[in-house]
């Protein structure tokens, strides 16, 4: 997408970024098993944390045969899901939105009040900031795919609980498998911990070229966090610039 320079500068200003800086592209990503290209290898992440990175999900997790569902069946399964207690308080499920052939996939943690009301992720103030982040990176919202770890809103917007994330995980993993994005951006620590099966602090995970089953993964701050801590917007911008280099470098 070609973005007018004045409009791009407006979005950069919303991110707290004054200038646009191009960097040299990194070495081409070599796909699964390219641990040498990471900031640290997946097995080093496991050793530092004492846990293993996620195995391929079992089909028995969550609804039957989730791993074989097409988009229509998957969306129907999510809409009718009652696997955890969150279904008792939801207005509706929040499946995901965007381009189902997207190169970029953004994963947040859980729907909020507006998302629960409208049935679409990132439509509140955090969504407005995410839109600005996308435009500043040269992307349109409709060009990417956006989803959450949880498909139902937790009460009072509390943090996702481990059992809730575990029940929802097959849905997210199937979305990733269907899209096959070139890059996953994990927005916030809950999304990062769910995808990477680690408890490492977000500060130790970001600014790294990680690997999720052969797909490059970048961890950055959740937009809601950036609304409370605007000084970290520049760090988030640096993470998106790293992501852009990985996508431009190709598979």
């Amino acid at each position: 997408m070609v973005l007018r320079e004045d409009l791009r500068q407006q979005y950069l200003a919303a991110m707290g970024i004054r200038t646009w800086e191009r960097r040299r592209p990194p070495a081409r990503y070599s796909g699964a098993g390219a641990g040498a290209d990471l900031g640290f290898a997946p097995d080093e992440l496991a050793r530092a944390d004492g846990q293993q990175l996620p195995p391929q999900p079992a089909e028995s997790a969550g609804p039957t045969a989730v791993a074989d569902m097409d988009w229509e069946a998957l969306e129907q399964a999510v809409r009718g899901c009652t696997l955890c207690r969150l279904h008792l308080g939801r207005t509706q499920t929040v499946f995901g939105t965007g381009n189902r052939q997207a190169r970029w996939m953004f994963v947040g943690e859980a729907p909020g009040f507006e998302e629960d009301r409208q049935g679409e992720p990132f439509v509140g103030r955090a969504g407005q900031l995410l839109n600005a982040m996308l435009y500043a990176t040269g992307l349109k919202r409709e060009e990417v795919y956006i989803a959450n770890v949880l498909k139902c809103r937790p009460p009072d917007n509390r943090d996702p609980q481990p059992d809730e994330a575990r029940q929802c995980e097959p849905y997210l993993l199937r979305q990733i498998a269907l899209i096959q994005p070139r890059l996953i951006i994990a927005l916030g620590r809950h999304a990062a911990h769910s995808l990477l099966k680690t408890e490492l602090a977000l500060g130790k995970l970001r600014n790294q070229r990680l690997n999720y089953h052969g797909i490059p993964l970048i961890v950055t701050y959740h937009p809601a966090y950036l609304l409370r801590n605007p000084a970290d917007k520049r760090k988030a911008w640096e993470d998106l610039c790293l992501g852009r280099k990985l996508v431009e470098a190709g598979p």
Side-chain angles (χ1 to χ4, degrees):
M1 180 190 74
V2 178
L3 193 67
R4 280 182 16 223
E5 182 61 25
D6 59 338
L7 183 58
R8 184 173 64 186
Q9 291 300 325
Q10 293 178 29
Y11 286 114
L12 287 171
M15 282 287 295
I17 308 300
R18 290 176 175 272
T19 59
W20 171 274
E21 297 180 0
R22 284 196 177 273
R23 302 179 182 175
R24 291 180 299 174
R28 292 178 62 85
Y29 174 70
S30 56
D37 291 336
L38 307 180
F40 46 83
D43 60 337
E44 292 174 359
L45 175 58
R47 287 198 300 270
D49 182 63
Q51 301 186 45
Q52 295 297 317
L53 287 178
Q56 293 289 349
E59 291 189 4
S60 59
T64 303
V66 168
D68 294 326
M69 290 181 177
D70 60 15
W71 279 109
E72 182 179 358
L74 184 63
E75 192 162 6
Q76 289 179 355
V78 169
R79 188 180 302 118
C81 182
T82 59
L83 289 173
C84 79
R85 59 190 173 273
L86 292 182
H87 79 277
L88 297 171
R90 73 189 180 209
T91 302
Q92 58 187 316
T93 56
V94 181
F95 180 71
T97 187
N99 185 346
R100 292 178 176 179
Q101 289 82 43
R103 298 192 300 172
W104 295 63
M105 182 172 182
F106 290 78
V107 179
E109 58 184 49
F113 174 81
E114 284 298 325
E115 287 77 13
D116 176 70
R117 186 175 68 86
Q118 299 185 39
E120 183 174 331
F122 287 92
V123 294
R125 291 183 62 227
Q128 294 172 9
L129 179 55
L130 178 59
N131 290 344
M133 294 165 66
L134 293 174
Y135 275 104
T137 312
L139 297 168
K140 294 179 180 178
R141 184 180 173 104
E142 57 267 27
E143 291 176 330
V144 306
Y145 195 86
I146 305 172
N148 282 311
V149 170
L150 298 188
K151 308 305 185 188
C152 297
R153 179 197 179 199
D156 301 318
N157 293 344
R158 63 159 169 75
D159 292 342
Q161 298 300 304
D163 63 312
E164 296 163 354
R166 186 167 55 251
Q167 296 287 6
C168 248
E169 185 176 37
Y171 300 133
L172 175 62
L173 296 183
R174 184 57 181 158
Q175 287 175 306
I176 294 172
L178 287 168
I179 296 169
Q180 284 294 298
R182 290 191 184 179
L183 177 70
I184 297 172
I185 302 287
L187 297 169
R189 64 184 177 90
H190 290 292
H193 289 175
S194 179
L195 290 169
L196 296 173
K197 297 296 184 289
T198 179
E199 293 296 326
L200 283 175
L202 185 142
K204 293 185 177 181
L205 293 170
R206 61 166 297 274
N207 197 30
Q208 300 283 346
R209 177 181 178 163
L210 303 177
N211 183 304
Y212 182 80
H213 297 310
I215 301 173
L217 184 148
I218 298 295
V219 175
T220 193
Y221 299 103
H222 194 283
Y225 167 87
L226 295 175
L227 290 173
R228 301 189 300 269
N229 301 272
D232 284 330
K233 287 181 178 180
R234 176 168 287 278
K235 294 180 182 178
W237 170 245
E238 292 170 354
D239 296 331
L240 293 179
C241 287
L242 174 59
R244 180 171 179 169
K245 288 194 295 183
L246 295 180
V247 170
E248 290 178 347

